[in-house]
């Protein structure tokens, strides 16, 4: 299987973490693909018209995209438990995934905006407000995160916090979310997180 990949993308990271947790990394052929909103990538678009990474191309040429879809595919392939089947656990996990992924989406838009010559203050303020609200919610739920088996929800939240450290270092998010910080300290020590820390270059 071929994975359109980059070492910096937090969405790709979700896939790599799942692949490691499921012992499937060796099955992936990583293809370094640059995806930038302002520069659609013609080669990538042959597999994904949205020009986004991650994109997973199966051996028969069928391409899967959106990180959640790829993660669930890998989970099925590896007969894993990252997507709980029981309904209460399942909805909790998918809800946490939505919270982590939604935070990530807001942070990426925020970073794009702040890099413009004249950022729109109203938008920056809204991203900041939503980010703080997500962190507060997650801090309140840190105990619950600890109490259930590691799942796709944990993967997405961990990747969003990793992205905060990588691109929003100055925010010092841990100061207002100490319980979440404690949960994250343990989570980032998992080999799947340690080996996928975003790197420049
Ligand atoms: N919802 C998508 C988001 C993927 C995404 O936006 N990836 C970024 C890289 S971090 C990208 O490909 N951006 C290029 C673009 O938006 O044109 C997923 O979960 O896979």
């Amino acid at each position: 299987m071929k994975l359109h990949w980059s070492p910096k993308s937090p969405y790709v990271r979700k896939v790599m973490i799942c692949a490691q947790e499921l012992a499937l990394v060796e099955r992936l052929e990583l293809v370094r693909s640059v995806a930038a909103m302002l520069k659609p990538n013609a080669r990538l678009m042959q597999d994904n018209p949205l020009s986004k990474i991650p994109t997973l191309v199966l051996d028969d040429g069928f391409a899967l995209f959106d990180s959640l879809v790829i993660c669930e595919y890998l989970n099925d392939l590896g007969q894993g438990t990252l997507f709980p089947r029981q309904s209460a656990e399942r909805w909790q996990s998918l809800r946490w995934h939505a919270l982590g992924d939604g935070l990530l989406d807001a942070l990426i838009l925020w970073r794009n905006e702040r890099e413009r010559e004249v950022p729109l203050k109203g938008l920056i303020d809204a991203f900041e407000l939503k980010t703080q609200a997500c962190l507060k919610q997650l801090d309140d739920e840190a105990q619950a995160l600890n109490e259930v088996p590691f799942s796709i929800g944990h993967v997405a939240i961990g990747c969003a916090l990793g992205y905060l450290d990588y691109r929003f270092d100055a925010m010092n998010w841990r100061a207002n979310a100490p319980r979440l910080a404690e949960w994250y300290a343990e989570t980032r020590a998992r080999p799947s997180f340690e080996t996928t820390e975003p790197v420049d270059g």
Side-chain angles (χ1 to χ4, degrees):
M1 295 176 283
K2 180 176 90 178
L3 180 70
H4 289 285
W5 171 95
S6 140
K8 294 189 215 170
S9 161
Y11 303 100
V12 170
R13 187 177 187 206
K14 280 166 56 190
V15 169
M16 294 307 294
I17 288 171
C18 290
Q20 279 219 40
E21 296 282 343
L22 296 159
L24 289 172
V25 174
E26 317 259 281
R27 306 263 301 263
L28 299 175
E29 177 201 341
L30 304 184
V31 177
R32 181 79 157 89
S33 297
V34 178
M37 243 177 231
L38 281 173
K39 262 200 202 155
N41 173 335
R43 194 179 55 130
L44 173 59
M45 287 176 77
Q46 288 172 2
D47 292 323
N48 178 354
L50 297 166
S51 187
K52 283 184 191 257
I53 53 172
T55 295
L56 180 72
V57 186
L58 306 186
D59 294 342
D60 63 2
F62 188 69
L64 291 173
F65 34 81
D66 203 282
S67 53
L68 183 65
V69 177
I70 299 173
C71 290
E72 185 156 10
Y73 176 81
L74 293 180
N75 188 62
D76 275 14
L77 192 65
Q79 298 182 326
T81 53
L82 295 173
F83 287 76
R85 298 215 185 271
Q86 296 298 326
S87 81
E89 271 175 51
R90 178 172 171 76
W91 299 125
Q92 177 62 293
S93 175
L94 290 175
R95 172 182 168 278
W96 274 329
H97 174 274
L99 201 49
D101 228 42
L103 173 56
L104 206 40
D105 292 343
L107 292 172
I108 293 213
L109 292 173
W110 181 354
R111 177 164 176 257
N112 286 345
E113 191 60 31
R114 82 178 174 193
E115 285 186 359
R116 275 187 227 290
E117 223 165 282
V118 188
L120 199 58
K121 187 175 177 309
L123 261 185
I124 302 275
D125 290 349
F127 291 138
E128 166 132 41
L129 184 75
K130 289 180 191 177
T131 298
Q132 294 306 339
C134 285
L135 288 170
K136 160 101 181 57
Q137 180 86 33
L138 289 169
D139 193 55
D140 288 346
E141 295 185 24
Q143 180 63 27
L145 281 166
N146 272 318
E147 283 169 356
V148 296
F150 185 77
S151 77
I152 189 64
H154 301 75
V155 174
I157 292 167
C159 286
L161 298 176
Y163 190 77
L164 269 177
D165 282 344
Y166 183 46
R167 297 292 194 199
F168 289 81
D169 198 24
M171 185 189 291
N172 189 19
W173 64 267
R174 288 172 178 79
N176 293 326
R179 293 165 296 183
L180 184 62
E182 209 172 300
W183 170 81
Y184 181 57
E186 256 181 51
T187 301
R188 71 184 294 205
R190 295 174 85 91
S192 60
F193 272 77
E194 271 184 346
T195 54
T196 55
E197 283 272 336
V199 285
D200 279 321

